[in-house]
Amino acid sequence: MSELETLRAAIRDELDGLWNDLDTARRGALNGQWSMQCDFLVDRIKNLTALVGPTPWHSIELPLLEDGIYQRVHTELGMDAPVDMEHVARTRERIDADRQRGARSTH
């Protein structure tokens, strides 16, 4: 792997972590939606995304896709980053069904 490829891989790895951190920061925000920490993370995501392009949507936490945050970040950067929202909806349905089955089995 060349030095450039190694650097790009490191940036992509950092982006994966930042998207995960953004999801965690949103869940921990006082209002449960957004905080200054979220703004800070989005700025870092934008800076790195400008260097290597969008993180694949299937690597992003579901709530960030469902709430359009992933899409908004890329729109603000002027980048095309389409998301298969039908796949996202089916995934959410499976998760919710699994939770319901789990809740019924514990009662």
Side-chain angles (χ1 to χ4, degrees):
M1 189 181 281
S2 73
E3 230 178 277
L4 181 58
E5 290 170 330
T6 300
L7 182 58
R8 287 172 92 46
I11 292 170
R12 291 218 171 271
D13 188 52
E14 180 66 11
L15 271 169
D16 286 344
L18 288 171
W19 280 109
N20 187 290
D21 291 348
L22 179 58
D23 182 59
T24 300
R26 281 189 68 220
R27 284 184 278 116
L30 185 59
N31 63 5
Q33 291 297 313
W34 207 256
S35 67
M36 288 175 59
Q37 177 70 13
C38 294
D39 286 334
F40 171 74
L41 291 165
V42 166
D43 286 344
R44 290 182 61 203
I45 288 168
K46 285 180 176 180
N47 288 336
L48 295 179
T49 299
L51 297 173
V52 297
T55 299
W57 68 266
H58 51 80
S59 299
I60 304 300
E61 289 75 8
L62 211 55
L64 298 175
L65 299 170
E66 291 170 319
D67 294 341
I69 293 166
Y70 173 86
Q71 297 90 320
R72 177 180 54 85
V73 166
H74 293 93
T75 296
E76 289 173 1
L77 286 169
M79 292 183 172
D80 190 35
V83 175
D84 182 348
M85 291 306 291
E86 289 180 16
H87 180 81
V88 169
R90 285 191 308 271
T91 301
R92 171 57 66 201
E93 288 172 5
R94 280 194 305 271
I95 289 169
D96 290 346
D98 289 347
R99 281 189 184 142
Q100 286 180 349
R101 276 193 295 276
R104 284 192 297 250
S105 68
T106 60
H107 293 302

